[in-house]
């Protein structure tokens, strides 16, 4: 069935390090892909999205490119900050005509000074 | 930030008791959702609503019911709570359910513990 697979956490980095959080998906058709972020004690917020192959979503220094050939949507940031510590969720929506989101299990990022 | 509140924020209850969680929005968005968040599972959809008195089941609806009598309120009820329903529950809303501009906005969550 349709699903999203994320790398296990926690990911522990020092401030200013490069971040990659892997996300791969299985889906029929042409899904839209999302990254949501959950800061401690809060709900999820949309971080970025991409709706078709080769699109690059970006926000707050984070980027992810929709790679249809590898069914991936890896999240990257060139220089992380302590304030980026959060749980990151990859998600997909099977088509533009549906509102159903399928989430990955989440990856916790811990950034230390 | 989208105006979404959830109540209560924390609740401890005993097996077999009924529990109702409330989601309240001030955005006048038509679409509302209840999710549960569990370690190793991410977020899973319980029920959703397309409008007043218009609801449908999600992925993990067994043991849960919902009601929406007003646009702004979406209630999630556990008729007889079980320990497997210990979780963090999130409400979400969206104005446009589909299309390029779709985005779901999430509430702060309710942590429910069933003893």
């Amino acid at each position: 069935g349709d699903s999203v697979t994320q790398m296990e956490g926690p990911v522990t980095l020092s401030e200013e390090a490069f971040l990659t959080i892997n996300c791969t998906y299985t889906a029929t058709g042409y899904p839209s892909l999302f990254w949501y972020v959950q800061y401690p004690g809060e709900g999820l917020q949309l971080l970025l999205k991409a709706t078709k192959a080769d699109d690059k979503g970006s926000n707050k220094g984070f980027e992810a490119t929709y790679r249809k050939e590898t069914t991936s949507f890896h999240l990257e940031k060139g220089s992380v900050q302590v304030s980026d510590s959060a749980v990151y969720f990859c998600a997909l929506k099977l088509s533009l005509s549906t509102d159903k989101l399928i989430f990955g299990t989440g990856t916790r990022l811990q950034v230390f000074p | 930030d989208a105006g979404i509140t959830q109540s209560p924020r924390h609740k401890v209850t005993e097996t077999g008791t009924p529990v109702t969680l409330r989601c309240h929005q001030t955005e006048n968005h038509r679409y509302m959702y209840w999710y549960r968040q569990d370690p190793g599972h991410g977020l899973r959809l319980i029920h959703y609503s397309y409008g007043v008195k218009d609801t449908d089941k999600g992925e993990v609806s067994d043991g849960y019911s919902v009601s929406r009598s007003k646009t702004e309120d979406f209630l999630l009820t556990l008729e007889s709570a079980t320990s497997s329903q210990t979780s963090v529950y999130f409400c979400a809303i969206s104005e446009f359910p589909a299309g390029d501009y779709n985005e779901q906005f999430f509430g702060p969550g309710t942590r429910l513990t069933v003893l």
Side-chain angles (χ1 to χ4, degrees):
Chain A
D2 305 303
S3 65
V4 175
T5 301
Q6 290 182 236
M7 59 189 293
E8 293 262 345
V11 174
T12 304
L13 296 173
S14 298
E15 207 164 24
E16 300 183 3
F18 184 86
L19 168 70
T20 300
I21 299 178
N22 291 338
C23 171
T24 57
Y25 67 89
T26 301
T28 54
Y30 303 96
S32 297
L33 300 173
F34 304 81
W35 277 102
Y36 278 81
V37 58
Q38 182 182 27
Y39 297 104
E42 299 183 9
L44 280 70
Q45 304 173 25
L46 180 64
L47 180 60
L48 54 84
K49 68 179 181 182
T51 58
K52 61 183 186 295
D54 299 325
D55 269 1
K56 177 184 285 188
S58 61
N59 186 25
K60 300 181 181 179
F62 290 90
E63 292 183 341
T65 301
Y66 187 165
R67 301 286 188 199
K68 188 170 184 291
E69 63 276 13
T70 55
T71 62
S72 65
F73 192 55
H74 304 322
L75 183 68
E76 296 182 336
K77 187 175 185 182
S79 176
V80 293
Q81 306 300 311
V82 172
S83 57
D84 293 327
S85 298
V87 180
Y88 292 82
F89 291 91
C90 186
L92 70 83
K93 194 152 70 75
L94 290 176
S95 72
L96 292 180
S97 62
T98 180
D99 58 343
K100 306 297 183 298
L101 286 170
I102 298 172
F103 286 89
T105 54
T107 301
R108 181 175 300 279
L109 170 66
Q110 298 174 325
V111 181
F112 293 96
Chain B
D1 290 344
I4 311 169
T5 56
Q6 292 185 231
S7 58
R9 294 293 312 279
H10 302 270
K11 186 171 182 65
V12 179
T13 190
E14 294 187 349
T15 298
T17 60
V19 176
T20 295
L21 308 182
R22 180 184 184 231
C23 176
H24 179 78
Q25 60 145 327
T26 58
E27 304 297 322
N28 201 36
H29 285 358
R30 179 177 174 184
Y31 301 87
M32 299 185 76
Y33 312 82
W34 276 108
Y35 292 89
R36 60 179 289 174
Q37 182 182 21
D38 303 291
H41 290 279
L43 272 75
R44 292 179 291 175
L45 183 65
I46 305 171
H47 280 281
Y48 56 98
S49 171
Y50 289 126
V52 174
K53 298 185 179 179
D54 190 359
T55 65
D56 207 345
K57 296 179 180 180
E59 178 187 0
V60 289
S61 60
D62 287 349
Y64 302 95
S65 62
V66 290
S67 66
R68 189 155 177 217
S69 59
K70 298 185 290 186
T71 298
E72 58 266 35
D73 289 325
F74 192 31
L75 304 180
L76 177 70
T77 298
L78 292 65
E79 300 289 348
S80 177
T82 68
S83 58
S84 64
Q85 294 176 310
T86 293
S87 186
V88 180
Y89 291 86
F90 287 99
C91 174
I93 65 174
S94 69
E95 183 175 12
F96 305 105
D100 282 348
Y101 300 102
N102 166 253
E103 179 178 346
Q104 291 187 18
F105 300 93
F106 286 79
T110 294
R111 183 174 296 276
L112 175 67
T113 302
V114 183
L115 301 176

